[in-house]
């Protein structure tokens, strides 16, 4: 066995040396890029450029590594090289161990400075104030729908969307002892409680359920109080020393949450983009149909349509719309111009690369 492994390990060592040399060369070029960007005040993070690189890697991948694994490697390479220019600060719903933190690393790689915040509101405030370069906030879940607080804050914010990322959400029930003995309350974010309600009704119907600011906050509470169990990620459980009572208790085995990146960066077209906007119309017959007609006229596909009350004491609504394409694309630009003319209220939230 040793005689067979030795030459193979020598080949791997030689290849690793080449990889290290190439990484060093890439890092030095990234430093030169940083100097050029500093002279022109160009942004360090260009989501459209990174999306193009990651798509290209998947298209050229000869195997045997899976596309998603190769993309993960290259994302980390880009993240480390970007940090040579500047380590960007990204705000997210904390504390450490939340799915929001996972989304940060899935989008930016691990060479960033994470800024945990106590609420989604605080993520928006930190990003608007410049305390963070970007924020990452949940916008919709595959089983529970829109995150309404995020939608409401997008209406009022001065930030724009510059990226998106979707991650699988696997919930685990955890406690300090790894059992439910002595547990009287299950804590989690309200979305997590909703995503696990069928399982909880079946297995622990009489245990109190209490909504808290985040799943990681629930994990912190469970680490301090044996009468509390938490629904959170296994990463949060490891972070706070919890034992797993039951893994993967989410009602939908394919449960996913989509997050958006907010900041001040206006992205350029990447070749596969999405545009988000908020609209309102007068409360008259056929108003919504007439409002959205320009999308069909110009062949622009609508991928999402959500309504939220205007909160002004009358039965009026804001409509949150996602369409395929970038605002600079000719067809999208023409459709947006007509939408703007037809709408009683129009706000462009941003154009950004579609998540991988």
């Amino acid at each position: 066995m040793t005689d067979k492994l030795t030459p193979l390990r020598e080949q791997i060592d030689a290849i690793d040396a080449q990889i290290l040399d190439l990484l060093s060369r890439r890092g030095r070029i990234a430093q030169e890029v940083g100097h050029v960007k500093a002279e022109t005040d160009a942004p360090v993070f260009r989501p459209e450029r990174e999306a193009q690189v990651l798509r290209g890697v998947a298209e050229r991948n000869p195997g045997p590594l899976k596309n998603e694994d190769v993309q993960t490697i290259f994302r980390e390479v880009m993240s480390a090289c970007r940090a040579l220019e500047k380590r960007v600060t990204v705000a997210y719903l904390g504390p450490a161990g939340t799915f929001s933190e996972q989304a940060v690393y899935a989008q930016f790689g691990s060479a960033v400075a994470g800024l945990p915040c106590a609420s989604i509101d605080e993520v928006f405030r930190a990003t608007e104030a410049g305390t963070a370069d970007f924020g990452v906030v949940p916008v919709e879940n595959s089983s529970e729908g829109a995150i309404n607080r995020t939608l409401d804050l997008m209406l009022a914010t001065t930030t724009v969307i510059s990226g998106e990322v979707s991650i699988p959400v696997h919930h685990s029930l955890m406690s300090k002892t790894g059992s439910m003995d002595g547990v009287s309350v299950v804590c989690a974010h309200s979305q997590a409680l909703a995503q696990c309600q069928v399982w909880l009704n079946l297995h622990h119907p009489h245990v109190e359920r209490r909504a808290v600011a985040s799943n990681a906050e629930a994990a912190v509470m469970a680490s301090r109080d044996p009468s509390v169990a938490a629904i959170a990620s296994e990463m949060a459980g490891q972070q706070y020393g919890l034992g797993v009572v039951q893994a993967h208790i989410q009602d939908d085995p394919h449960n996913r949450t989509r997050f958006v990146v907010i900041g001040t960066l206006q992205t350029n077209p990447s070749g596969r983009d999405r545009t988000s906007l908020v609209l309102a119309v007068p409360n008259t017959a056929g108003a919504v149909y007439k409002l959205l007609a320009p999308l069909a006229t110009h062949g622009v596909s609508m991928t999402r349509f959500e309504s939220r009350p205007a909160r002004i004491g009358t039965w009026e609504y804001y409509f949150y719309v996602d369409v395929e394409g970038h605002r600079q694309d000719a067809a999208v630009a023409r459709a947006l111009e007509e939408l703007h003319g037809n709408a009683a209220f129009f706000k462009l939230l941003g154009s950004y690369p579609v998540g991988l």
Side-chain angles (χ1 to χ4, degrees), residues 12 14 104 229 288 346:
I12 288 176
V104 169
V288 175
F346 178 98

Side-chain angles (χ1 to χ4, degrees), residues 189-207:
H189 189 274
S190 57
Q191 280 274 333
L193 290 172
Q195 292 163 25
C196 303
Q197 61 179 324
V198 173
W199 190 93
L200 290 171
N201 288 343
L202 181 63
H203 295 278
H204 299 286
H206 303 300
V207 177

Side-chain angles (χ1 to χ4, degrees), residues 110-151:
S110 58
V112 295
L115 178 64
C117 297
S119 64
I120 293 175
D121 299 56
E122 189 59 33
V123 175
F124 275 87
R125 278 194 291 269
T127 308
E128 281 192 300
T131 307
D133 300 298
F134 297 96
V136 170
V137 291
V139 68
E140 63 178 332
N141 175 263
S142 59
S143 59
E144 288 301 310
I147 313 299
N148 291 329
R149 187 56 187 160
T150 298
L151 297 187

